[in-house]
Amino acid sequence: MPMFPEIFPQVEVRVLKKDKVQPGFILCNLSNHALKVPITVALFDYEGNIHWWFQHGSIPDMRGDIDVRTVPEGILIGGTNMAEKEEKVPPILINWKGETLWRGKIVNHHHIHRTPEGNYMFLTTEERYFKHLKVSLVGDVIIEYDPESDSVVWEWHLFDHLKPKVKRRDWSHCNTIEPDPKDSRFLYLSARNLNSIFKINKTTGEIVWRLGEDGDFEISLEDRFYHQHAPEIQDNGNILLFDNGTFRPKEVGGEYSRALELSLDEKSMKAQAVWSWRNNPDLFTPIWGDADRLENGNTLIVFGNRVPPFPYPRDVDVPPFKYKFPTQTSRIIEVTSDGEKVWELEFIPAQWGVYRAEYISCLLYTSPSPRD
């Protein structure tokens, strides 16, 4: 491994109950927008030791919403700068030695995963002009790419299925594609700016249902989610997600973030919360976050922030408003099913952010000695 990066966060373990945590490691991205650090990935143990790290090139990561996940050969890294003036960085697959095994040709954002067939599925965007709004908007596209044939074998455009109602430039801002674990015909798409999760029939291309704002399910105000991230389908069909709480109405608690598990009845079209967890005191993370169920039943939750503040995207058709981002640090927290916090990792100073995190079993990674 090359010399340890000169610019790296201080890592503090605030809570550790060894007998109750899920044994293993945590893999996550580390972002520092202020210092213009390149895309950085690190592997931590529960005591905060860094066992492995990698930097993808030298181009500054100006977004931070980097998807990092493991495959049998190593680590898949995707998501990068998307603004017109930002220098683009392609997705890559590397092994634990840091050697590049695959380099993508299509720049994606927020999410990338590999299908059982060996294809790569990820998010891109497109721009369309809408006569009824008299404006061009940006919407999301799902791409499935076959590296063997070097071709796109399937794509799906959200604009083909929904007609925008507002002049929000970044109209949908999707962040997750979740395959159905029991039926490969279906995908679940999280659209942050629409406060919605869509179930998509990959065979027909049709939207089966919409959960959330303007959705098909009856759901109480208290159980609704706002600017959500990372829906994960459980074995029983429930959806576990990170509810950012951005613009949550004051009458139901205002802006705070939480992990939220919803039970869906697709016959009665009713949805309700069956489990949730929020920190005490509340943590509010407007734009990033993750919630994963672990093997022992615990839940790994990412409260990730991008600090210092940057201009929050405003809707063109609403009055200007002042929006102050929190200055709290990014945290990764593990809790039990009954809500007990058994581990908390904090990144200092607050300029260091984390988008998502993935638990890795001890069986999947042979750890060298921790680095000082």
Side-chain angles (χ1 to χ4, degrees), residues 145-329:
Y145 172 80
D146 180 0
E148 294 296 325
S149 62
D150 188 23
S151 62
V152 174
V153 294
W154 184 78
E155 62 182 284
W156 189 89
H157 299 248
L158 187 54
F159 276 147
D160 289 345
H161 301 271
L162 291 181
K163 186 177 182 180
K165 298 178 181 179
V166 296
K167 295 180 180 179
R168 182 190 297 118
R169 172 65 177 172
D170 184 9
W171 175 67
S172 53
H173 197 106
C174 293
N175 52 43
T176 309
I177 310 164
E178 174 75 358
D180 191 303
K182 295 182 179 179
D183 194 332
S184 60
R185 293 176 300 167
F186 300 108
L187 298 172
Y188 300 84
L189 177 66
S190 170
R192 188 197 78 174
N193 281 359
L194 301 180
N195 297 322
S196 297
I197 297 171
F198 299 92
K199 183 177 182 179
I200 300 167
N201 187 317
K202 190 170 179 284
T203 302
T204 65
E206 296 302 313
I207 294 176
V208 179
W209 48 247
R210 177 177 182 172
L211 171 67
E213 184 178 311
D214 298 326
D216 303 308
F217 287 85
E218 178 184 332
I219 185 171
S220 69
L221 282 175
E222 292 77 10
D223 292 350
R224 292 184 183 181
F225 49 83
Y226 300 86
H227 275 44
Q228 77 292 336
H229 282 76
E232 178 186 89
I233 310 303
Q234 306 304 299
D235 291 339
N236 59 5
N238 290 354
I239 296 182
L240 175 68
L241 57 89
F242 186 81
D243 174 18
N244 292 76
T246 311
F247 306 129
R248 190 194 312 277
K250 291 183 179 180
E251 58 266 30
V252 286
E255 293 181 318
Y256 68 88
S257 301
R258 61 178 175 174
L260 177 67
E261 184 176 349
L262 296 171
S263 172
L264 274 59
D265 188 329
E266 296 188 54
K267 293 183 178 180
S268 66
M269 297 306 290
K270 293 182 179 180
Q272 63 177 356
V274 293
W275 182 85
S276 67
W277 189 88
R278 55 194 283 193
N279 195 64
N280 183 18
D282 277 324
L283 296 172
F284 174 45
T285 65
I287 60 170
W288 292 344
D290 195 7
D292 298 330
R293 187 62 40 79
L294 303 178
E295 296 172 2
N296 64 355
N298 290 356
T299 303
L300 189 72
I301 311 169
V302 176
F303 292 86
N305 271 319
R306 179 159 60 180
V307 180
F310 62 96
Y312 192 82
R314 299 176 179 178
D315 293 352
V316 179
D317 58 344
V318 299
F321 62 93
K322 292 183 179 180
Y323 190 91
K324 292 184 178 180
F325 268 55
T327 57
Q328 67 199 24
T329 54

Side-chain angles (χ1 to χ4, degrees), residues 93-113:
L93 172 63
I94 62 171
N95 59 24
W96 289 104
K97 296 180 181 180
E99 299 167 337
T100 301
L101 307 179
W102 171 80
R103 182 180 296 269
K105 296 181 178 180
I106 303 174
V107 175
N108 71 296
H109 71 85
H110 283 88
H111 178 102
I112 186 169
H113 73 261

Side-chain angles (χ1 to χ4, degrees), residues 99-141:
E99 299 167 337
T100 301
L101 307 179
W102 171 80
R103 182 180 296 269
K105 296 181 178 180
I106 303 174
V107 175
N108 71 296
H109 71 85
H110 283 88
H111 178 102
I112 186 169
H113 73 261
R114 196 164 67 183
T115 69
E117 297 77 25
N119 296 340
Y120 293 98
M121 185 169 288
F122 47 82
L123 288 166
T124 63
T125 59
E126 65 171 332
E127 182 175 335
R128 289 191 191 182
Y129 180 79
F130 293 90
K131 293 182 179 179
H132 69 290
L133 296 176
K134 298 180 180 180
V135 69
S136 291
L137 304 177
V138 175
D140 284 277
V141 180

